[in-house]
Structures are given as C-alpha cells and as structure tokens.
Amino acid sequence: MAGGQQQAETNPGAIPAGDLPAGATGELNTERWLRDLQQALRLEVERGCGDLMGRQQSFSSFAAECWQTVPLSLQSEERSQAQSFAEAFATYGQLSVARRQGLVRRCRQWLHDWQRSRQPSTPVAPPRLRLASDPSQAPRRGSGGLKLDTPLAEMPGVGPKTAARLAALGLLLARDLLHYYPRDYLDYAHLVRISALEPGRTATIVASVRRCHAFNSPRNPNLSILELHLQDCTGRLRVSRFFAGRRFSSPGWLKGQQRLYPPGADVAVSGLVKDSPYGPCFQDPLIEVLEDPRALVRSEQIGRMVPVYGLTEGLGADRLRQIVAGVLGLAAAQPDPLPLAIRQQHALIERADALVAIHRPTDAAQLQAARRRLVFDEFLLLQLALCRRRLEFRSRIAPVLQCPAGGGDGATDGTTTTPTLVDRFLDLLPFPLTGAQQRVLSDIRSDLARPQPMARLVQGDVGSGKTVVALAALLIAVEAGCQGVLMAPTEVLAEQHFAKIGAWLPQLHVSSALLTGSTPAARRRELLQDLINGQLQVLVGTHALLEDPVQFQRLGLVVVDEQHRFGVRQRNRLLAKGLQPHLLTMTATPIPRTLALSLHGDLDVSQIDELPPGRQPIRTRCLRASQRHEVHALIREQVAQGQRAYVVLPLVEESEKIDLLSAVAVHRQLQEEVFPDLQVGLLHGRLGSDDKQRVLTAFATGSCQVLVSTTVVEVGVDVPEASVMVIEHAERFGLAQLHQLRGRVGRGSAASHCLLIHDGNNAMARQRLEVLVGSSDGFAIAEMDLQLRGPGAVLGTRQSGLPDLALASLTDDGSVLELARDVAQAVIAADPNLEHHGGLAKALAEQRQRQLEAARLN
C-alpha cells in the first residue's frame, strides 16, 4: 500500500495500487469486486478517460480482468454482458476519448442497475415514495423504529460525519428534515435535448461536460465566472454562472469549482432559456452533477420536479435527497392540526400530503397545492399568536380617558361648554386639521373612552401631521388626570418632538420634559422626582425611558414614534410602568398591508392619507454624477431665494472596501471648493448630542444654508425653508427610505426639488429609482420596494420583529395571509383559549418554545 502511494505521488495520473486488486485469480468477494471496479471507473472518469496507469497494470487491463472473473452470484445473462464488457475493455486503448467515455458510462450504468436489483442488504437508492393520501402505498407509521424526535445521528444510513454536516444546516432531528424545504426545483417535466431549447421557456437538459473553466472576469476583479461546455447527442452548449464577491475570486475556490465538473461528468442544467448572439443559453441556471444520470433521469425523474436544497461542504445533493426521502414516511406520524371543516371550506390538502409533495412533487399543480397549505399554516400560527396577544391585552382594565366635549366639538343642546385642552390646543395651531387627522383623532377619542386599553397604529406619510394628532391624544390623557409619554428611537427625533410640543404646552399650562441618554445626572434626578410625584405631565424621550429608575405616578398613555424600530419586548416594558396605559404607535414609513398584518396584527390601524393644504409637490429627478454642476447651480439659486438644501450620503467617512463618497469628504469639498461663500454644516450619528443640536439649530435658523448629512435626517428634522434634497449614491437606499428623505423638503410654500444621483450601469437600479421619480404615493412606493428588496428593506432595519417564515413570502403570498387572518379571527372569536382546537394549541405552544430557545441562544 505504501508503494502504491509513492507511485501515485510521482505519477499524478496513476491509480494507487491499493485501489486495484492484487490479482484476478479465484472467486472474488462480491462486495470487494463491486467496490474496486466502481472506484476504478470513477477515477478514470475524473482523470478524463486517459487509460490511467497503476503500479502493476493499466486501467483497461484491470477492468478487462475484473469483467472476466465475475462473482458467482451473476446469472447467465449477466455473465454474457460481463464478457461483452471484458472484450470491449481489451481494446479500450484503441478507442477515441468519446467512445471511451461512452463505454465507461455504460459500464457504470449496468453496475448501478445490477446493484439495485440485488438483495436489500446492498446499499441502494431509496424507494420512490407515493403520497400519503394513497393508503395502499403510505409508509407505516413509525416503521423501522424511526420517530419524529429521532436524532439524525441515529437514523439508519446517517453516520456521525453526515450528522455533523446536517447539524451545520440546523438539522438535528428527523422532524427537522421534514421542514427543510427545497429552495428550488429541477423541472424534469420539461426535459429536452440541447437542439430543442426554446428562448422564453423553462427547460432542463442532461448533458456531458466537455470542459470546465472557472476564472475571474478581466473587467471586474470581484466577479468570477464558471463556464461549462456541454454536449449531448444533438449538439453543444455553453453554460455560464456568475459569482459576485471577493470570496469567490480566490484561486482555491476557482479550482474547487472546476473539480466539481470534470470532463465526462453528466450534469442536469435547468432554468429560463433566453436568446443570445450565440444561440439559446440559460439565464442564472441551476447546475447539478448526476452521479448516476441515466438511472436518475430515466427511471425516477422523468415527468417529475427534483428538489434542490441548500447544501453545506461535504454533503452532496443526491445524498441529502436520499436522507430527506428516508423521513418522508413520518409525515403522517402526527395528526393534522387543522380541523377537517376548515380544510374543506378553503380547499386545503392534508398536511401530511403537503409535506411529502413539497419534497417530491409530481407536477407544478401538486407543488402549488402543497406550498399553499404549508404557507397557510405558517401564516395561521402567526395570526393566531397576534390575535391571542390582542385578546390578552384587551382583557386588561385601562383608565377611562374621557373629557367633556368642548366648544370645538359643538354641543348639541345649544349650551356653551368650557373648551377642553384639545380645543385650546387646536386653536393655537395656525392651520385647521385635515379631514384625515380629524378622522384618526375621533378613532383615538373613542378608544380612550373605553376601559379596554387602546392599541392603535397611526400610519401617515411624511408631513401628514401625525405629531399633532399624538399631542392631542396626550392632552386628553393629561386632562383626565393621567400622565403621557412619547418615546422616539433617536435623540435627534426626540429633541425635534420636544422642541415642537415645547412651543405649545407652556401656553396650555402643561408641564413637559425631555429625557435622553445625554440628560445630565442632576437634571435626570430632578426630572424623575417630578415624574413620580405627578408634577411632570408629559415626558418625551428615547430608550432611556425604559430604564428601571423611570417611574410614573399615573401613566395613562404611551405614544411610540417610528414604532417598527422598537421590539415588542421594549414596547411592553414601557407599558408595564403604568397600571395599564393605552398604547398609540406611529410610523412615517409606509408599510404595505401584508407587512402590516404580519407585524401589527394585534393593533388597530388608522391611516392619515391626506397632506395639509398648501404643501407643494416635490419635483424629483434622477441625474448622473456628470450632472453635478446642475445640482450645485440649483442649490445656489435656491439659497439666493432664502431656501436651504440637504445633501445626503450613505457613509460617514471614506472606506477602502466600498468606493462611495462620504459625508466628511463631500462636506470638505462643498465648503472649500464649491460654496466657499456659504456656510456648509455636517451632521452624522457619531456627533455628540450637543453638536447635533448645534448643527440643526444653525440650519433651522438659516446661519447654515447647506447641510451635508447621513440618513440621520431621515425622520424628525423639520425645516420649512429647506427646498432641495440631494441624495448621492441613491441606488444604495431602499425606495421607502428615499421617500422618507424626500419628505424632509416641501414643508414650506416654496417649490421643492429632490435630486437622485446615480452613476452605475445597473439597469434594474435605474428602473427602481424611476419608480420614485414617477410617484409620490408612499404606500405604492413601499409595495414596490417590498417586491424588489423584501420586508427588511422596507422597514429600514433588521431589528423589526419580522416573522420567522420558512416558506411563506410576504411579497408573493398576500392572499393566503388574508385568508389565514380571517380564519384566525374566526377561531379565536369562537374558541379564545383553543380548548376545542387542540392541534392548533399544541402547534402554537411548540412554536413559542422554539422561539424561546432561539432567543436564549442569541
């Protein structure tokens, strides 16, 4: 064996002697004969079918001897085929490479078929499973001792090494495999030859690799290209895949990709076919090496859709499919949590059938039915949890915050009433409330007048007047003898709110204060004392409000601004500081309906969908970097008219990793080179609270005419004289975030401008920005952003309480979400404690347990 290793090292193309039998005399052990022959055939394929040379003999002579001295277990017909192979390998060295490859493939195929036909003790591919809905073919429950909670390391055919690799994917128990859903499918329902590919259709081909090349793009060092030259009996095709990122550009990774697709290997390629100058090609194809191509495609998968799973190093696609197939029989091992009546009413298939079909669909219709059922289950559990949270919250007793209707409401009996705090506040405003503001305020009044705690979300576009409505609600609480609190996510926004309400509350003789992380210790002690003895009526602050020393005498209303930036736990912590205060949350981020139902299904939703009169439309344009001189000219023109301008950038300082302009660099350039005669300010999150306030004050008073900033100005900064918003590298922002930034201008009577600077060549990015140019509807823009970038991008933060969905999509499954919400509300209305829905109660409890375990791990 050592000699064989030494020979292999001096001759890389040689087969180690240990891989070939020492001789071919006498009867060979069947297992040893099969293993050695298969290994030799595999090595020959991997080395390009060049008739490899071992220490004692060549591959062809070894193969010929193996076929001449076959095990006794072969039948007469099988022996005849073996003799045919022996004769073919005797002349192997005289064949062309293509004919050698064909002979080796036929040989491997025959061995594979023969191995499958032998007794069950020989490792074979798992049997094809039928749907559990076919009782005659359904696997017996718990057969073979395998259970849902069986550790994968104890599963037959899964050793410790494979179990460790599965654990890297988060798969620990047999039940985990059932819920490890495919990320895509190879559609063998439309299996075609290369010559039959049609642009515009999705297709799958099975072909042999002629050569493979993985290399870095000569134009972009961060782009790597995998290029396969394939061939079948009808033609040839070049297939390319692109990998963006430095981690794909290392020589080791590129060579590893080439080794995955050796010449002679058979691969399945699936995807959308498009036209190119060189003929049909695949767009972003799925590529998979077939270990036994003819058996896999011909006998098992014709007319089927083959699942494609996320993999990890050392775990092949076929191997994972086999392991998953081994647990599909457990799908029926647990009762369906959904009652039969609901399934029949909404045409939902059984859960066991859905779990099998999602892994082994026979066609697209069956896959769609399976996916619809499993997506419904995910949304139903989410909505049930939200409904129960809402029910539990509403079961508490809250203070009734009701004050007599004032003159502003108009008395019905002709008598004169004393104006309420809200009436007096509305009289101070230089403008009347819009119809939308009045409608939302009426909803809030009704909520506060009930003993059940209010839980309401107010959505409103930038500049729609949410703060005015929130302050009116706080004044209702104050007049009812309670305290109110307004929590904002940043110090800048909290300071803006306090400055705004600080101009009105003293005139109404209502005390207020600001509490942030920057509040001096002496002022903090004084403030906390006033708060607990009831002298302080309205408190504005940031996360500092959540700290334990902050205690109220009688907290009646909690207002949370930009609420998606706070978790439910933070929100509840603030609510716990009162006996049971009412809750009003606000957001200026337009949230699409599907996302709102998923995040805020426990809240009533009101929408301020009307802007105050006099707001000027904002002219939005998308410009190239070469047009910056137009931007500078517009800024100078607007400043000359007494207006001001924002310039927003994605980075604070320059980065070696990202080629983007930074706020610090642009501020220096504008101040020194472009506008030396103007005052240019700089604002970003790294500045201290005092410095931020000093910059904002200078911009608001006009001593600073141009403000260079990061997205810290996205919310809360209100300067009516600002009429220009310039956003550099606009493609780096989400549409909803760009709309938020655009809302910082257009708050005065002057015409306003939003200039989006984009200098890339990405047509999709340009098209996305054109959506903003053509629309001012925040909700329509958010819907488009949800489709293009996902829910995390719409909210602008990953710490947003997004539901953990394994299969469902908030973008594509809106109709199923609506259905699940209706069903959940009906179930909870009829059975609040789920006493008659044991399956759903158990599923909810298990989901809650998993969430708690995940929270502990994080």
Side-chain angles (χ1 to χ4, degrees), residues 393 440 444 447 454-460 466-467 469-470 473 485-487 557-568 571-572 574-575 582-588 591 599-600 602-608:
F393 185 73
V440 173
I444 294 172
D447 288 345
M454 174 179 69
R456 182 170 295 277
L457 168 65
V458 175
Q459 294 189 84
K466 298 181 300 300
T467 305
V469 173
V485 61
L486 170 59
M487 183 167 68
L557 175 63
V558 171
V559 180
V560 180
D561 195 15
E562 290 302 321
Q563 58 80 37
H564 64 268
R565 301 198 179 194
F566 297 96
V568 173
R571 196 174 70 190
N572 291 340
L574 186 56
L575 288 171
H582 297 270
L583 173 66
L584 177 65
T585 66
M586 305 187 299
T587 181
I591 302 178
L599 291 172
H600 315 305
D602 56 334
L603 304 175
D604 294 317
V605 180
S606 295
Q607 187 172 321
I608 302 180

Side-chain angles (χ1 to χ4, degrees), residues 229-308:
H229 293 258
L230 306 178
Q231 177 178 342
D232 68 5
C233 61
T234 67
R236 296 179 177 181
L237 182 70
R238 184 172 65 182
V239 173
S240 299
R241 288 201 66 189
F242 300 90
F243 302 89
R246 292 188 177 181
R247 63 184 183 278
F248 300 118
S249 61
S250 69
W253 186 87
L254 295 172
K255 290 181 180 178
Q257 287 296 302
Q258 289 185 185
R259 286 195 297 269
L260 290 176
Y261 309 99
D266 290 275
V267 297
V269 182
S270 182
L272 177 66
V273 181
K274 64 177 184 177
D275 206 358
S276 76
Y278 308 101
C281 66
F282 283 96
Q283 176 179 328
D284 193 23
L286 286 166
I287 306 173
E288 188 169 326
V289 177
L290 304 179
E291 296 177 3
D292 299 290
R294 297 191 180 191
L296 178 63
V297 177
R298 184 178 62 208
S299 64
E300 290 260 350
Q301 306 299 349
I302 284 290
R304 294 187 65 88
M305 303 176 72
V306 182
V308 177

Side-chain angles (χ1 to χ4, degrees), residues 381-409:
L381 291 181
L382 170 67
Q383 292 299 317
L384 284 173
L386 290 171
C387 286
R388 294 185 74 178
R389 184 194 301 169
R390 176 190 179 95
L391 186 66
E392 192 275 334
F393 185 73
R394 293 297 174 88
S395 66
R396 304 171 187 173
I397 304 299
V400 175
L401 306 182
Q402 187 175 20
C403 51
D409 293 319

Side-chain angles (χ1 to χ4, degrees), residues 309-522:
Y309 299 93
L311 301 175
T312 188
E313 185 175 356
L315 187 64
D318 282 343
R319 179 72 177 119
L320 182 54
R321 274 197 287 265
Q322 291 173 3
I323 296 171
V324 172
V327 302
L328 293 185
L330 297 174
Q334 50 187 343
D336 196 321
L338 201 60
L340 177 62
I342 295 178
R343 295 204 305 269
Q344 292 177 339
Q345 181 182 356
H346 301 291
L348 296 166
I349 66 174
E350 291 188 16
R351 183 171 176 82
D353 290 352
L355 285 171
V356 174
I358 200 73
H359 294 284
R360 299 289 299 272
T362 56
D363 53 40
Q366 189 187 73
L367 174 61
Q368 183 178 3
R371 189 180 182 281
R372 181 172 180 266
R373 169 60 204 270
L374 297 175
V375 166
F376 176 86
D377 285 1
E378 288 189 355
F379 280 143
L380 180 63
L381 291 181
L382 170 67
Q383 292 299 317
L384 284 173
L386 290 171
C387 286
R388 294 185 74 178
R389 184 194 301 169
R390 176 190 179 95
L391 186 66
E392 192 275 334
F393 185 73
R394 293 297 174 88
S395 66
R396 304 171 187 173
I397 304 299
V400 175
L401 306 182
Q402 187 175 20
C403 51
D409 293 319
T412 57
D413 57 359
T415 61
T416 303
T417 59
T418 304
T420 64
L421 271 177
V422 174
D423 295 328
R424 291 160 52 199
F425 165 61
L426 296 180
D427 289 340
L428 292 176
L429 298 178
F431 48 80
L433 295 185
T434 64
Q437 286 175 306
Q438 291 176 357
R439 182 183 68 250
V440 173
L441 183 56
S442 177
D443 292 341
I444 294 172
R445 282 183 185 273
S446 299
D447 288 345
L448 296 178
R450 289 194 290 264
Q452 294 80 29
M454 174 179 69
R456 182 170 295 277
L457 168 65
V458 175
Q459 294 189 84
D461 219 337
V462 285
S464 60
K466 298 181 300 300
T467 305
V468 169
V469 173
L471 183 52
L474 289 168
L475 291 174
I476 293 175
V478 168
E479 189 150 31
C482 292
Q483 295 165 299
V485 61
L486 170 59
M487 183 167 68
T490 66
E491 288 194 11
V492 170
L493 184 52
E495 289 163 357
Q496 287 284 327
H497 279 313
F498 184 67
K500 183 175 292 186
I501 70 175
W504 291 316
L505 292 187
Q507 302 179 61
L508 301 171
H509 306 291
V510 174
S511 58
S512 62
L514 173 67
L515 176 63
T516 69
S518 303
T519 303

Side-chain angles (χ1 to χ4, degrees), residues 687-736:
L687 294 177
S689 179
D690 292 342
D691 292 333
K692 288 178 186 176
Q693 194 57 52
R694 186 163 47 251
V695 172
L696 287 171
T697 301
F699 188 65
T701 58
S703 58
C704 167
Q705 297 85 28
V706 180
L707 180 60
V708 178
S709 175
T710 57
T711 54
V712 71
V713 298
E714 179 183 349
V715 292
V717 179
D718 187 6
V719 179
E721 294 79 12
S723 62
V724 181
M725 170 62 72
V726 180
I727 305 174
E728 295 276 2
H729 303 295
E731 74 281 0
R732 307 285 297 190
F733 302 92
L735 289 179

Side-chain angles (χ1 to χ4, degrees), residues 658-844:
I658 307 177
D659 186 18
L660 298 176
L661 294 174
S662 69
V664 173
V666 169
H667 170 259
R668 185 185 309 112
Q669 179 196 19
L670 293 180
Q671 183 66 86
E672 297 177 0
E673 302 175 17
V674 183
F675 304 120
D677 54 327
L678 302 179
Q679 184 64 37
V680 181
L682 176 62
L683 179 68
H684 54 75
R686 297 181 187 176
L687 294 177
S689 179
D690 292 342
D691 292 333
K692 288 178 186 176
Q693 194 57 52
R694 186 163 47 251
V695 172
L696 287 171
T697 301
F699 188 65
T701 58
S703 58
C704 167
Q705 297 85 28
V706 180
L707 180 60
V708 178
S709 175
T710 57
T711 54
V712 71
V713 298
E714 179 183 349
V715 292
V717 179
D718 187 6
V719 179
E721 294 79 12
S723 62
V724 181
M725 170 62 72
V726 180
I727 305 174
E728 295 276 2
H729 303 295
E731 74 281 0
R732 307 285 297 190
F733 302 92
L735 289 179
Q737 190 175 29
L738 289 171
H739 182 64
Q740 284 265 48
L741 290 167
R742 179 170 61 177
R744 294 304 104 201
V745 298
R747 293 171 168 260
S749 57
S752 296
H753 309 264
C754 179
L755 307 178
L756 310 173
I757 300 181
H758 165 56
D759 205 30
N761 296 320
N762 189 319
M764 181 64 71
R766 185 84 182 187
Q767 181 182 2
R768 196 168 59 86
L769 295 178
E770 291 296 336
V771 172
L772 198 74
V773 172
S775 176
S776 59
D777 185 341
F779 287 92
I781 290 170
E783 287 282 359
M784 181 63 68
D785 213 20
L786 179 64
Q787 295 177 18
L788 294 174
R789 305 216 310 165
V794 173
L795 297 174
T797 175
R798 296 295 176 184
Q799 194 272 329
S800 53
L802 285 173
D804 185 15
L805 304 173
L807 191 63
S809 166
L810 296 176
T811 306
D812 304 324
D813 299 315
S815 60
V816 183
L817 173 58
E818 297 272 5
L819 174 62
R821 181 177 184 244
D822 293 341
V823 171
Q825 289 178 339
V827 168
I828 293 298
D831 184 14
N833 297 320
L834 298 179
E835 295 175 354
H836 304 293
H837 295 79
L840 292 177
K842 181 180 178 183
L844 265 179

